[in-house]
Amino acid sequence: DQLNVERENGNVFQGFQEGFGDEVPPFEPTYKFQPKTSLYERRPDKKLRAPAWCDRILWLAKKFDHIEQLSYKSTMDLRISDHKPVSALFQAKCKTVVVERKRNVYLDVIRMLDRWENDSLPKVELEGASVSFGPVRYLVESQASVWISNTSQVIAHWRFTPKFEETALCKRWLHIEPTYGMLIPGERAEIVIRALVDNETAQDLNGGKDTLQDIIVLHLENGPDKFIDVSGEYARSCFGCTLEELVCTTEPIRNVPIASSPDGHRHFSSTQNGATLSVPKELWRMVDAIYQRGLQERNLFLTQGNPAEVQTIRESVDTGTEFDACSVYSMADALWSFLNSLADPVIPPSLFPNMEIDAQSIQPWSRRFLEQLPPVNYNVFVYMISFFREVLLHSEANRLTPAKLAVVCCNCMVKSESEDNDEREMQRKHSLQLIISHFLTTAMI
């Protein structure tokens, strides 16, 4: 016992008494336990320590015959740290009891214990706990930072947790980094929160199924939870809308509010009294721009555009402003993305051929295909086929073929009911490509 050795040598606690005069305390060693258990620390991956009496109670009195120690024990049932608490009970003889002084001492002890308890609990402060992204645009990432600081005297462990009856830490349009951490006293760390409206989120926002508002829960171990309020304003885009919404809107989509309806959902409201377009104005603008910038560019629709230019094109389409200078490849890329982003595809999955198409069946299948297209989808499909025919007139320069453009059409105007590219699904897509190629090479439309 290292403490008793030093006491016997007169180095520490001279004149103090402990327990009942035994060589060692009358209880099992109180250190070191596995945290929150009553098992001594013997895990092979931890530093091995011999169990020891690290928790002691020594006492000193002017007259030792006035003090009687009644008990000296440890409490093994408590599992709040790697130590076990030790307690002692004494009976002391007092000549007089000054009630007021006794009360003051009692209050001082209570305040000291309360202060000790508060100092032993972790506390953190958040800087920027209310995050407002402002206008959030389609496929344009917004970023904000929240700083977390440890203002306590102990290590603070924190992590983000899902809200009650939820499994995700936040809504799908949000991303948090990091999601957990540890801070020593006085340390601070940055939490980065990113917002990105992708195609699925845009469809939910346009349909009134979601809003750019969320509350993120930061859980502090052995401390109170903190909450971060996140909000943004969706800068409305035609990307992710339905064709029906777009043909009913003759003004820039950015200016069209989403009105609430009795069914609890939100819908686009148009200021035009029942006026509808044959095809969305956004589609017409991009097709016309490709006409103006040239149909002779090699591998048009097969070469990716400049992402920054595509973003600028989207903004011009949504706000109704003039297009900035850009390559025809970027405009074609934006057109492809627009068709691919529609909440309801131009070609419904139900119109996929369910059998192999050959030379004898392609004509009736093509006729049936046109007859079953919804009116707005029919207009857009015929419009795009007519446009791609114009593109094919310059096939010697742009090196495009009906087969290549049929693949482009399938990739941007079709959404498969199954995400699995099994043999049957591939066959149905191939048959649909044959039908589209048939439209591109005949005068059926």
Side-chain angles (χ1 to χ4, degrees):
D1 188 342
Q2 196 171 11
L3 175 62
N4 286 339
V5 170
E6 295 298 322
R7 288 175 60 202
E8 291 175 1
N9 293 334
N11 295 328
V12 295
F13 298 111
Q14 297 182 25
F16 280 77
Q17 301 292 319
E18 180 187 24
F20 304 101
D22 302 321
E23 293 184 359
V24 295
F27 45 80
E28 298 294 324
T30 58
Y31 180 82
K32 176 183 188 192
F33 290 86
Q34 297 180 26
K36 298 185 179 181
T37 72
S38 292
L39 302 175
Y40 286 109
E41 183 60 83
R42 293 191 176 93
R43 291 179 289 184
D45 58 331
K46 302 294 182 179
K47 182 177 180 180
L48 296 181
R49 301 175 185 269
W53 289 278
C54 294
D55 309 275
R56 314 282 278 270
I57 296 177
L58 281 73
W59 56 276
L60 179 67
K62 291 183 177 180
K63 295 183 178 182
F64 287 95
D65 58 340
H66 286 185
I67 301 294
E68 180 183 1
Q69 184 163 357
L70 303 179
S71 69
Y72 187 28
K73 62 182 180 180
S74 65
T75 305
M76 306 299 283
D77 294 336
L78 290 179
R79 303 182 179 91
I80 59 176
S81 75
D82 52 2
H83 289 259
K84 296 297 181 182
V86 174
S87 63
L89 180 62
F90 296 89
Q91 179 174 300
K93 295 180 181 180
C94 299
K95 291 184 178 180
T96 59
V97 176
V98 181
V99 177
E100 185 63 26
R101 186 174 180 183
K102 176 182 177 182
R103 179 178 177 276
N104 291 337
V105 170
Y106 175 79
L107 292 176
D108 289 342
V109 172
I110 292 297
R111 281 192 288 266
M112 182 183 65
L113 292 176
D114 185 61
R115 186 167 55 252
W116 177 85
E117 182 180 10
N118 289 333
D119 291 342
S120 66
L121 294 176
K123 298 184 186 68
V124 297
E125 294 292 337
L126 294 178
E127 301 175 32
S130 181
V131 176
S132 177
F133 287 108
V136 180
R137 291 171 171 78
Y138 178 83
L139 289 186
V140 178
E141 185 178 81
S142 300
Q143 178 176 312
S145 293
V146 175
W147 288 89
I148 179 172
S149 305
N150 184 356
T151 59
S152 67
Q153 303 301 315
V154 296
I155 293 177
H157 295 268
W158 61 270
R159 59 186 172 87
F160 288 103
T161 59
K163 292 183 284 293
F164 180 66
E165 294 186 344
E166 295 186 10
T167 57
L169 299 181
C170 55
K171 290 186 176 180
R172 66 182 313 276
W173 51 271
L174 281 177
H175 177 75
I176 311 169
E177 187 179 1
T179 57
Y180 63 92
M182 179 192 73
L183 297 172
I184 63 175
E187 186 181 10
R188 69 197 298 257
E190 182 183 19
I191 300 171
V192 179
I193 302 177
R194 296 182 176 89
L196 178 66
V197 175
D198 59 12
N199 199 56
E200 183 177 344
T201 301
Q203 294 176 14
D204 290 342
L205 292 171
N206 289 329
K209 299 177 182 178
D210 198 2
T211 60
L212 294 186
Q213 292 182 334
D214 198 9
I215 295 177
I216 309 173
V217 181
L218 186 147
H219 175 70
L220 180 63
E221 187 174 329
N222 296 325
D225 289 344
K226 298 286 185 178
F227 302 93
I228 301 176
D229 181 35
V230 182
S231 64
E233 180 182 349
Y234 180 46
R236 201 155 298 123
S237 174
C238 61
F239 289 73
C241 291
T242 65
L243 287 173
E244 287 75 11
E245 292 168 337
L246 295 176
V247 296
C248 293
T249 307
T250 56
E251 57 182 305
I253 199 72
R254 183 68 54 80
N255 302 335
V256 179
I258 296 181
S260 299
S261 63
D263 60 5
H265 294 291
R266 298 183 302 167
H267 305 278
F268 279 90
S269 62
S270 175
T271 58
Q272 309 298 323
N273 297 324
T276 60
L277 305 170
S278 297
V279 297
K281 61 188 180 304
E282 296 85 0
L283 176 63
W284 178 87
R285 287 191 64 194
M286 286 184 281
V287 168
D288 183 66
I290 295 174
Y291 267 113
Q292 300 298 327
R293 285 165 171 77
L295 302 178
Q296 299 181 359
E297 296 296 331
R298 188 169 182 174
N299 290 328
L300 186 63
F301 289 101
L302 301 180
T303 302
Q304 186 177 9
N306 183 297
E309 292 182 352
V310 173
Q311 178 181 330
T312 303
I313 293 169
R314 280 200 307 265
E315 188 68 12
S316 298
V317 168
D318 292 335
T319 58
T321 57
E322 295 293 329
F323 291 125
D324 293 337
C326 65
S327 73
V328 69
Y329 295 109
S330 297
M331 190 63 68
D333 194 339
L335 174 60
W336 186 95
S337 300
F338 168 75
L339 293 171
N340 186 63
S341 73
L342 292 172
D344 299 321
V346 177
I347 302 176
S350 59
L351 297 187
F352 273 36
N354 53 17
M355 58 177 290
E356 188 173 351
I357 301 296
D358 54 28
Q360 294 181 347
S361 61
I362 193 168
Q363 189 75 12
W365 261 107
S366 300
R367 186 179 302 108
R368 188 181 306 115
F369 173 85
L370 288 177
E371 292 172 351
Q372 294 180 353
L373 276 174
V376 178
N377 300 58
Y378 175 89
N379 290 342
V380 172
F381 181 77
V382 171
Y383 183 72
M384 291 305 303
I385 292 297
S386 301
F387 167 64
F388 283 133
R389 282 179 180 171
E390 291 290 330
V391 175
L392 288 174
L393 295 178
H394 305 273
S395 59
E396 290 188 5
N398 57 39
R399 302 296 180 89
L400 295 175
T401 64
K404 290 180 180 180
L405 287 181
V407 173
V408 172
C409 288
C410 277
N411 288 341
C412 67
M413 292 195 286
V414 173
K415 289 183 182 176
S416 173
E417 290 181 322
S418 171
E419 296 183 357
D420 299 328
N421 292 323
D422 54 22
E423 184 177 352
R424 179 174 176 272
E425 191 68 20
M426 295 295 291
Q427 179 61 46
R428 295 182 70 188
K429 286 185 178 180
H430 178 69
S431 298
L432 184 58
Q433 290 172 15
L434 292 177
I435 292 177
I436 294 176
S437 181
H438 178 72
F439 286 127
L440 291 172
T441 55
T442 65
M444 189 170 182
I445 295 179

